[in-house]
Amino acid sequence: MNKAYLLTGGNLGNRQHNLQQAKDYIEELCGTIVQYSAVYKTKAWGITDQPDFYNQAMELDTQLHPECLMRSLLQIEEKMGRERIFKFGPRIIDIDILLFNNDIIHTPVLTVPHPYLPQRRFALMPLNEIAGNIIHPLLHKSINIILKECNDKLDVYKISE
């Protein structure tokens, strides 16, 4: 069994519903969600002139290997109507693999740990809620410590339990 930590997010449509629908598809197609964070709201990162994002982290037990999991997550995004018009643009849903076991992966399809995780408070805060003591395999620091050291100044608000 593999353990993956995922981040779902989106800023178009009914954001709360989209996160729930993504969670349902992940359970149906990818494995068992062991736990998930509250939903967090934040301003857009990168291209800021767009609606606020809702984000949620989850711990997934899966039989899938990393690239197979990534392909399944991309299929879920497509099924939900995700259109990749431009990088950092608005989207119905985005599903990222933040961590996968203690693996370090660099392929054309996937980089794990997620390369921007240490710089993104909107990913670190929900991940810290469910996995604060997990050690980042490249930085050799806990998620809790990485969050404390994060220079990202965007406000991130918990909006649901």
Side-chain angles (χ1 to χ4, degrees):
M1 186 65 67
N2 296 303
K3 184 167 298 299
Y5 289 93
L6 309 179
L7 184 73
T8 57
N11 68 337
L12 295 177
N14 183 332
R15 297 167 289 183
Q16 193 85 29
H17 171 77
N18 293 340
L19 293 180
Q20 182 60 52
Q21 187 175 33
K23 213 166 21 174
D24 293 344
Y25 281 135
I26 290 166
E27 281 248 281
E28 178 184 330
L29 301 172
C30 302
T32 302
I33 297 173
V34 176
Q35 60 177 334
Y36 52 88
S37 72
V39 174
Y40 290 78
K41 179 179 178 180
T42 189
K43 297 285 184 202
W45 190 94
I47 298 173
T48 57
D49 185 23
Q50 57 182 309
D52 292 348
F53 276 81
Y54 283 14
N55 292 287
Q56 185 172 46
M58 61 192 70
E59 177 184 344
L60 178 73
D61 281 346
T62 182
Q63 298 284 351
L64 301 177
H65 294 286
E67 286 191 0
C68 187
L69 175 60
M70 189 72 244
R71 280 192 298 274
S72 295
L73 297 175
L74 290 171
Q75 288 172 349
I76 292 168
E77 289 180 354
E78 186 177 319
K79 183 185 280 196
M80 290 182 63
R82 166 97 189 249
E83 295 177 342
R84 294 176 185 274
I85 299 168
F86 54 90
K87 193 174 179 92
F88 302 128
R91 61 206 81 154
I92 284 179
I93 195 69
D94 184 41
I95 310 171
D96 290 327
I97 301 174
L98 301 178
L99 301 166
F100 191 93
N101 297 326
N102 202 30
D103 298 356
I104 298 170
I105 303 164
H106 293 286
T107 71
V109 177
L110 182 62
T111 301
V112 174
H114 192 288
Y116 299 117
L117 177 61
Q119 291 90 38
R120 293 181 174 170
R121 183 172 303 284
F122 70 82
L124 287 167
M125 284 187 66
L127 182 60
N128 184 63
E129 182 182 323
I130 62 170
N133 293 325
I134 296 291
I135 302 298
H136 190 287
L138 287 173
L139 301 178
H140 307 290
K141 297 177 181 178
S142 70
I143 297 303
N144 184 272
I145 296 298
I146 295 168
L147 174 58
K148 288 178 183 170
E149 294 174 349
C150 181
N151 292 324
D152 180 5
K153 300 302 181 209
L154 280 181
D155 290 328
V156 181
Y157 300 99
K158 187 186 288 192
I159 61 170
S160 78
E161 295 302 321

